[in-house]
Amino acid sequence: MENQEPTNSEILEAINAFSSKNDERLQKIESTMVTKDYLDDKLTDLRGDLVVLVRKEDTKLKTLVSVLKNKNIISEEDVKTINALEPFPQLSL
């Protein structure tokens, strides 16, 4: 039995089949990938949600500081120091 060399058309058929399979796999991968715009939108939404949550916590803190000041537990200077802290500093004039 002799080993026959593949013909050019057999080689081209094999390459074409391989290429078609790779195209199918690539299309499946691309269909599940997210775009930069999608990620940018989601990160912007997340940032907005986080700012809202931190603002609510800041409101709670300011309310607590006010209650403590009204009960003479902390001084006016303590109130100014606490209110001047990040993330939303309140500067007294």
Side-chain angles (χ1 to χ4, degrees), residues 6-14:
T7 65
N8 284 345
S9 67
E10 290 172 331
I11 293 171
L12 289 174
E13 284 178 32

Side-chain angles (χ1 to χ4, degrees), residues 46-69:
L46 177 61
R47 185 177 190 280
D49 292 346
L50 290 174
V51 168
V52 168
L53 288 172
V54 173
R55 285 254 183 227
K56 287 180 181 179
E57 290 302 316
D58 190 55
T59 300
K60 286 182 183 180
L61 174 68
K62 290 194 183 318
T63 302
L64 176 62
V65 168
S66 177
V67 168
L68 293 174
K69 170 66 175 107

Side-chain angles (χ1 to χ4, degrees), residues 3 18 33 39-40 43 47 53 59 62-63 72 78:
N3 282 341
F18 177 76
M33 290 177 63
L39 283 177
D40 287 345
L43 287 173
R47 185 177 190 280
L53 288 172
T59 300
K62 290 194 183 318
T63 302
N72 293 319
D78 292 335

